[in-house]
């Protein structure tokens, strides 16, 4: 059993402890979109903070989305006396400030506005450090549920496994939201549709445009840039795989545009 108190994962997702499975998933979508580090440039001053918050959001979803893990977490929460039940605010503004469309954190019903910061409290509960002795991002959830304690002895395996799980979690909801918007095929492949390519091509114009092999007419008249050569042929790839291969600047613009144009009903803007 970890010697540290568990974070308030309900508060991190802006939920009460009575939230349903669907509410937990919807809250994860909102929080993941709001905290995703690719919403900002690679050298942005707040990228490290965003990365940490995104990690905690994923830890929260990993814990609360599984009934068994959620029950065990609730037991630990009682043992350690982790705060009173969180009551999501009715206001659309949050303590982070800004808007979801601009990459800030405001405008999210059930957001993170409360008398305390659950993200800061999560690290305070870990002894005030967001990293393990091995220099890896600390995770109460991963340590507790997988028993893979992040130390120098495991050579980073726990961190790699955690990052893979985090990536898979976000990919799952990312593709689900795109399917709902008609931007990913509903046949199980999650391949980009014409609507996806149209949005992608319109974000940065010729600077972002590229020719997709075997899909004629999707970006007619746009010349592929050299920096996008690696993803000219997206045949057979899911929308998330295409997203991951975009250069960072274009990835940031795409994710911001998706939050504003595609996911407006999800992030409350």
């Amino acid at each position: 059993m970890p010697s540290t108190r568990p974070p308030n994962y309900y508060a991190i997702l802006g939920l009460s402890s009575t939230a349903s499975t669907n509410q937990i998933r919807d809250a994860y979508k909102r929080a993941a979109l709001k905290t995703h580090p690719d919403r900002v440039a690679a050298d942005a001053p707040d990228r490290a903070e965003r990365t940490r918050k995104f990690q905690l959001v994923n830890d929260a979803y990993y814990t609360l989305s599984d009934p068994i893990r959620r029950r065990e977490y609730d037991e630990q929460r009682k043992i350690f006396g982790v705060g009173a039940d969180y009551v999501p605010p009715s206001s659309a503004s949050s303590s982070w400030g800004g808007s979801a469309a601009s990459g800030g954190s405001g405008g999210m019903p059930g957001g993170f506005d409360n008398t305390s910061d659950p993200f800061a409290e999560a690290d305070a509960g870990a002894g005030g450090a967001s990293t393990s002795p091995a220099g890896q991002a600390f995770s109460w959830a991963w340590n507790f549920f997988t028993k893979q304690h992040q130390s120098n002895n495991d050579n980073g395996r726990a961190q790699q496994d955690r990052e893979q799980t985090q990536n898979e979690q976000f990919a799952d909801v990312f593709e689900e939201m795109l399917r709902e918007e008609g931007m990913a095929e509903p046949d199980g492949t999650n391949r980009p549709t014409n609507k996806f390519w149209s949005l992608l091509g319109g974000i940065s114009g010729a600077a972002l445009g590229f020719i997709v092999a075997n899909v004629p007419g999707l970006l007619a008249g746009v010349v592929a840039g050299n920096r996008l050569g690696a993803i000219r042929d997206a045949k057979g790839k899911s929308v998330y795989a295409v997203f991951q291969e975009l250069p960072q600047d274009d990835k940031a613009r795409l994710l911001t545009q998706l939050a504003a144009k595609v996911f407006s009903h999800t992030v409350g803007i």
Side-chain angles (χ1 to χ4, degrees):
M1 176 188 302
S3 59
T4 56
R5 67 196 296 265
N8 192 337
Y9 288 140
Y10 291 106
I12 284 173
L13 293 184
L15 294 167
S16 74
S17 61
T18 59
S20 67
T21 299
N22 287 339
Q23 288 173 327
I24 290 170
R25 187 170 179 84
D26 287 344
Y28 170 66
K29 291 176 182 178
R30 294 193 295 266
L33 283 172
K34 292 172 71 63
T35 60
H36 201 293
D38 284 333
R39 292 286 298 275
V40 297
D43 59 352
D46 62 335
R47 178 145 182 129
E49 180 184 6
R50 279 183 163 272
T51 297
R52 178 57 179 158
K53 288 181 176 179
F54 187 66
Q55 291 166 343
L56 288 168
V57 164
N58 275 279
D59 283 352
Y61 185 65
Y62 175 78
T63 300
L64 301 180
S65 62
D66 180 87
I68 296 176
R69 288 195 289 266
R70 182 180 183 181
R71 182 172 63 250
E72 293 180 2
Y73 165 72
D74 284 342
E75 292 173 354
Q76 291 297 310
R77 187 166 170 255
K78 291 178 181 178
I79 291 172
F80 283 87
V82 177
D85 196 18
Y86 184 77
V87 180
S90 58
S91 171
S93 64
S94 81
S95 59
W96 287 9
S99 68
S102 64
S105 303
M108 173 177 149
F112 306 123
D113 185 21
N114 202 6
T115 56
S116 60
D117 180 356
F119 293 93
E121 286 186 349
D123 288 335
S130 61
T131 58
S132 71
Q136 301 164 351
F138 179 81
S139 171
W140 182 94
W142 199 256
N143 286 359
F144 183 80
F145 293 113
T146 72
K147 313 305 178 186
Q148 286 181 283
H149 297 281
Q150 296 162 323
S151 66
N152 289 316
N153 296 329
D154 61 19
N155 297 318
R157 178 181 175 184
Q159 180 73 0
Q160 292 175 359
D161 290 346
R162 180 192 179 198
E163 289 176 353
Q164 180 178 347
T165 297
Q166 173 178 287
N167 188 56
E168 291 172 352
Q169 286 183 165
F170 183 70
D172 183 46
V173 299
F174 182 87
E175 292 177 346
E176 178 182 283
M177 288 186 282
L178 285 175
R179 287 196 303 272
E180 292 172 350
E181 295 296 332
M183 294 190 176
E185 296 290 354
D187 58 3
T189 64
N190 291 308
R191 289 178 301 196
T193 63
N194 287 20
K195 187 176 181 181
F196 172 85
W197 292 120
S198 296
L199 175 63
L200 185 61
I203 292 175
S204 302
L208 178 62
F210 56 93
I211 300 173
V212 180
N214 301 319
V215 192
L218 290 185
L219 295 174
V222 179
V223 178
N226 292 333
R227 62 201 178 102
L228 295 174
I231 54 174
R232 290 178 186 177
D233 184 358
K235 183 179 181 181
K237 294 180 181 179
S238 70
V239 286
Y240 188 66
V242 172
F243 166 76
Q244 286 184 303
E245 294 181 7
L246 287 171
Q248 174 54 41
D249 289 347
D250 294 317
K251 189 185 296 184
R253 283 193 292 268
L254 173 59
L255 200 56
T256 298
Q257 287 294 322
L258 290 175
K261 181 178 176 64
V262 182
F263 304 145
S264 59
H265 63 284
T266 300
V267 298
I269 57 176

